Amino acid sequence: MKTLGHRLVSPWRRSAVATVAGALPVLAFPAPSLWWFAHVALVPWIALARTAPTGRRAALDGWWGGFGFMLAMHHWLLPNLHVFTFVLAALLGALWAPWGWLVRRLLGGVPSRGRVAAALVVLPSAWLAAELVRSWEALGGPWGVLGASQWQVPAALRLASVGGMWLLSFLIVLLNVAVAVLLVVRRARVPAVAGLVAAGVVTSVVWVGAPVAQADGRTRIAVVQPGVVSGPDGPDRRFGLEERLTRRLAGQGADLVVWGESSVGFDLDARPDLARRLAALSRATGAAILVNVDARRSDRPGIHKSSVLVGPDGPTGERYDKMRLVPFGEYVPARSLLGWATSVGEAAGEDRRRGTEQVVMDAGGGLRIGPMVCFESAFPDMSRNLAEDGADVLLAQSSTSTFQQSWAPAQHASLAALRAAETGRPMVHATLTGVSAVHGPDGGRIGPWLGTDTSTARVYDVPLAHGTTPYVRFGDWPLHAALLVLAAWGVTEGVRAVRLRRRPAPGPHAPRARTAHGSPGRPGH
């Protein structure tokens, strides 16, 4: 591995290798779900970038690797966005160019112990900085954050309650850096091992000290998943199927029934007949029903996606309008500039309208619910806000029917485990076509997942917990710490550079004189 970079003479060949190396971490996510692979998946990429002949080439290795990572993570968009998927991957991949440069700067050649020690902190911090920037909604949001690959690891979920998925990302990159040093920089093994031991000790202390979510109650929540319903009369037929599935829940003691995203394709104010049918379902099941209306509203302009709570007397007035929209799927960023995407893919022909604030709803019986819609469940700050505002249960109404045969449904459902563990609140992920999932306040799975081949209604016995996790209390502190580390390193490097420029150049050495016996002597003797 030492000579990997030197053997790749062709820049294009090197770029291809960087792209493949960058794509490797996707195997740790669903559907493959090789969570353990995340701990070494970055090693080939690091080994390549450190051998780059120049800093510019290392930055290109970072860019190409980032391109591979983003393309692999979002490959299921290809049938819909076509060539724009590559444009998106190239744009986001550029965020890893500084990371590639830093890999060479800190680990290139034969690094000193100080540089290796710095790499164990600076490189994970730089990775978090890239994840922070790409988490901006207009760039696709925090889908595929490296730490989210550990959604099924109980120890990782417990750490997430302290520092969120960001802390997991930091630790995963640190581990990859240490493994890379152990494999390719043998002379620097001591600081790498020391860093691993220190990280292990700190992680163990945090894990032991992290509060464990203690269940202090239970509620019964039903998920209605109709499956794929297509055709010009799809909205009507879907509503009828959801209605029949919901009637099966009568007598099962559900406290709340949840339908998926876009489960109602008509504005309920404009269709009072549908509102009456929903109210009848609420009376039959003895539970409020949370539907999701995807329609042009009659009381304001534009199309909204709204979580609407319906009780035995009809809509209760509790309503949440989706705030964070899917780029290109629900709106086109800078449409005047990027509107051409609608001609090469299935980008939104009309922008959806945004809500203005999150809502915690009273579902009856003292149960308070915090709804989110679709990829809003990828944003940890939204679930944090709902937990702080008193939500007992987090809900995500979703539909990934466009990507039914891809990895997207399982990737989306897995996010519920992270959001639950971070907040200490159970989370219900209800979809139209699968995968639907429920996770307890510690992030553990409750009951079976409902796959993409399932059409059913199922009741889940959901434990409730009401403590406050460190992550809810302190927020995204790993991101803030990472930015401080990068700032401190930058200042240190700047001071060192100034000192080197100010250091006087060594003067010419006077030749040594020879004595009468021919032996060298000092000048003047």
Side-chain angles (χ1 to χ4, degrees), residues 50-119:
R50 68 173 291 273
T51 62
T54 64
R56 179 178 179 275
R57 180 63 247 187
L60 285 173
D61 290 342
W63 191 336
W64 280 106
F67 168 77
F69 182 38
M70 289 292 94
L71 184 62
M73 185 58 64
H74 299 93
H75 71 276
W76 37 269
L77 290 173
L78 279 167
N80 300 89
L81 293 185
H82 305 303
V83 68
F84 201 81
T85 309
F86 293 92
V87 176
L88 178 66
L91 172 66
L92 296 178
L95 296 173
W96 276 270
W99 186 78
W101 180 89
L102 279 171
V103 169
R104 180 182 182 274
R105 177 72 179 83
L106 293 169
L107 297 179
V110 182
S112 65
R113 293 185 176 185
R115 283 168 58 192
V116 171

Side-chain angles (χ1 to χ4, degrees), residues 177-213:
V177 172
V179 172
V181 171
L182 289 174
L183 292 177
V184 303
V185 191
R186 295 182 179 179
R187 296 182 183 179
R189 285 179 173 176
V190 172
V193 171
L196 278 176
V197 172
V201 170
V202 173
T203 301
S204 298
V205 170
V206 172
W207 183 84
V208 170
V212 179

Side-chain angles (χ1 to χ4, degrees), residues 341-406:
T342 60
S343 63
V344 298
E346 299 179 14
E350 177 183 351
D351 292 350
R352 297 291 198 274
R353 300 300 179 94
R354 299 176 186 272
T356 57
E357 61 181 357
Q358 292 186 262
V359 177
V360 174
M361 301 178 180
D362 184 354
L367 180 65
R368 292 172 59 79
I369 59 175
M372 294 172 281
V373 183
C374 191
F375 95 139
E376 288 183 330
S377 66
F379 294 86
D381 65 306
M382 296 195 75
S383 54
R384 274 185 57 230
N385 292 339
L386 291 170
E388 287 183 319
D389 290 343
D392 300 312
V393 178
L394 304 176
L395 300 169
Q397 295 174 294
S398 178
S399 171
T400 48
S401 54
T402 304
F403 314 105
Q404 193 74 351
Q405 305 305 320
S406 73

